[in-house]
């Protein structure tokens, strides 16, 4: 007996008439009678005796039904769970990303993944991607520099240079490029290495050269660097996407040749099956890995 025949047989056992069975299965009453006759012929035994309008199961039918009860119970459980699973499949993908990636990077990915004109829904969090994934608030995290925890599966999407940001009237603005040593000798606007992956990457580069990483102004996001340098001066460090898209009037950027590029990383919880829409968006991120990053200038005037 295949599953369709089991469903027919189990329904007949429960309701006792071909008419009600036809209604429940969404087929005609003659179709029920025909399928039952063919099933009995293939099994080589009678399953029901007709008594008036009802079908009375034979001893063999009762034995068969008793063996099949676990299958029917499993089927009922599956049917009851389907609405919940369907709702879960339709739940918007939740992304947690750092501001620079939301503002300068993610749009191209979403367009290629079918989100243009918001044909699909998404939940966007601009927070701490690692914390949001750990708490279940996000499905995919996006940040610059590798997540340090083994609990995440990380995918490198590309690399972005870091640049120095300074007022256009700053003495260093005349230089075509700046080194970490030169930057370290000036008031620095940058990120805390204790919670910012980019800040940690910059500190490591400074320490590797024997330089002190001690920002005069610690900010959470790249956009804050732009604002603070514009208002109070000093030298800031931002990614080249922010320098390209959000540098304010009165500021210039210069390349830092001895500061390593930072990686753009997509990551998710390791060893945890993904919902279909989450996998689709992750596939879009990986599929367009070489196309997502625009040409970035090493200097912005």
């Amino acid at each position: 007996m295949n599953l369709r025949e089991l469903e027919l047989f189990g329904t007949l056992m429960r309701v006792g008439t071909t008419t009600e069975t036809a209604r429940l299965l969404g087929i005609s009453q003659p179709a029920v009678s025909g399928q039952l006759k063919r099933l009995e012929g293939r099994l080589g035994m009678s399953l029901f005796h007709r008594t008036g309008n009802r079908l009375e199961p034979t001893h063999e039918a009762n034995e068969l039904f008793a063996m099949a009860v676990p299958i029917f119970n499993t089927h009922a459980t599956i049917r009851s769970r389907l609405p919940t699973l369907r709702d879960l499949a339709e739940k918007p993908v939740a992304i947690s990303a750092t501001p620079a990636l939301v503002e300068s990077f993610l749009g191209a990915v979403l367009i290629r993944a079918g989100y243009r004109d918001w044909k699909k829904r998404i939940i966007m969090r601009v927070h701490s991607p690692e914390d949001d994934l750990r708490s279940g608030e996000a499905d995919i995290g996006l940040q610059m520099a590798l997540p340090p925890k083994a609990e995440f599966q990380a995918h490198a999407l590309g690399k972005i240079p870091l640049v120095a940001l300074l007022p256009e009237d700053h003495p260093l603005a005349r230089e075509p490029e700046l080194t970490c040593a030169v930057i370290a000798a000036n008031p620095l606007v940058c990120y805390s290495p204790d919670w910012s992956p980019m800040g940690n990457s910059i500190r490591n580069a400074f320490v590797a050269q024997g330089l002190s990483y001690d920002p005069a102004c610690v900010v959470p996001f790249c956009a804050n660097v732009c604002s603070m340098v514009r208002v109070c001066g000093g030298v800031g460090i931002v990614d080249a996407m922010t320098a390209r898209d959000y540098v304010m009037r009165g500021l210039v950027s210069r390349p830092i040749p001895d500061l390593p590029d930072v990686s753009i990383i997509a990551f998710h919880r390791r060893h945890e099956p993904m919902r279909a829409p989450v996998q689709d968006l992750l596939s879009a991120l990986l599929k367009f890995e070489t196309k997502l990053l625009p040409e970035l200038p090493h200097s912005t005037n």
Side-chain angles (χ1 to χ4, degrees):
M1 298 175 70
N2 59 36
L3 290 175
R4 184 182 296 276
E5 291 168 336
L6 270 174
E7 183 180 33
L8 175 76
F9 168 68
T11 306
L12 282 167
M13 289 292 292
R14 289 194 299 272
V15 303
T17 70
T18 56
T19 301
E20 181 65 6
T21 297
R23 186 186 71 81
L24 291 174
L25 298 183
I27 59 179
S28 68
Q29 187 273 337
V32 172
S33 298
Q35 289 182 36
L36 175 59
K37 184 176 181 180
R38 288 190 294 273
L39 176 59
E40 290 178 322
R42 287 204 305 104
L43 294 178
M45 58 184 177
S46 295
L47 296 174
F48 297 94
H49 298 299
R50 183 173 291 279
T51 303
N53 291 329
R54 295 192 61 81
L55 296 175
E56 295 294 334
T58 64
H59 173 78
E60 293 81 6
N62 281 302
E63 289 285 329
L64 184 61
F65 185 75
M67 289 187 289
V69 163
I71 299 175
F72 299 138
N73 290 341
T74 299
H75 183 232
T77 300
I78 292 173
R79 293 188 64 176
S80 68
R81 284 282 297 159
L82 281 176
T84 300
L85 293 174
R86 189 178 300 112
D87 290 343
L88 183 62
E90 294 175 353
K91 181 181 176 182
V93 178
I95 292 181
S96 181
T98 52
L101 293 180
V102 172
E103 297 168 0
S104 302
F105 171 79
L106 192 56
V109 182
L110 295 178
I111 289 174
R112 291 180 171 91
Y115 286 82
R116 183 187 290 275
D117 296 326
W118 302 113
K119 294 181 175 63
K120 301 179 182 180
R121 295 181 299 148
I122 196 168
I123 297 172
M124 182 65 61
R125 292 178 63 84
V126 182
H127 190 236
S128 170
E130 292 182 31
D131 291 342
D132 287 343
L133 261 73
R134 195 173 290 112
S135 67
E137 295 287 342
D139 301 301
I140 296 176
L142 283 173
Q143 67 184 27
M144 296 185 193
L146 283 169
K149 307 299 187 296
E151 64 199 279
F152 301 126
Q153 177 68 49
H155 307 272
L157 305 180
K159 290 183 177 292
I160 293 292
L162 296 175
V163 298
L165 190 71
L166 58 161
E168 59 184 5
D169 60 354
H170 194 288
L172 295 178
R174 296 191 294 269
E175 303 295 329
E177 59 185 31
L178 302 178
T179 64
C180 290
V182 169
I183 294 172
N186 288 265
L188 177 63
V189 180
C190 216
Y191 324 96
S192 169
D194 296 328
W195 55 260
S196 167
M198 187 186 296
N200 186 56
S201 177
I202 296 170
R203 178 181 64 178
N204 290 342
F206 273 52
V207 170
Q209 299 184 45
L211 302 172
S212 174
Y213 180 77
D214 186 23
C217 177
V218 176
V219 297
F221 307 127
C222 291
N224 305 139
V225 174
C226 301
S227 298
M228 292 297 97
V229 171
R230 180 173 181 271
V231 172
C232 295
V235 180
I237 298 177
V238 298
D239 64 276
M241 288 188 302
T242 297
R244 178 199 62 195
D245 295 341
Y246 293 97
V247 166
M248 305 172 184
R249 184 182 299 276
L251 298 177
V252 297
S253 67
R254 295 292 181 261
I256 312 171
D258 57 347
L259 193 60
D261 294 348
V262 293
S263 296
I264 294 180
I265 301 297
F267 58 101
H268 52 87
R269 291 178 291 275
R270 191 183 295 275
H271 306 311
E272 183 174 313
M274 294 183 186
R275 297 185 294 116
V278 177
Q279 182 63 64
D280 289 344
L281 183 52
L282 180 62
S283 296
L285 281 163
L286 299 177
K287 180 178 179 181
F288 294 99
E289 174 181 347
T290 59
K291 301 178 182 178
L292 289 173
L293 304 183
E295 290 298 323
L296 295 170
H298 285 283
S299 177
T300 302
N301 293 305

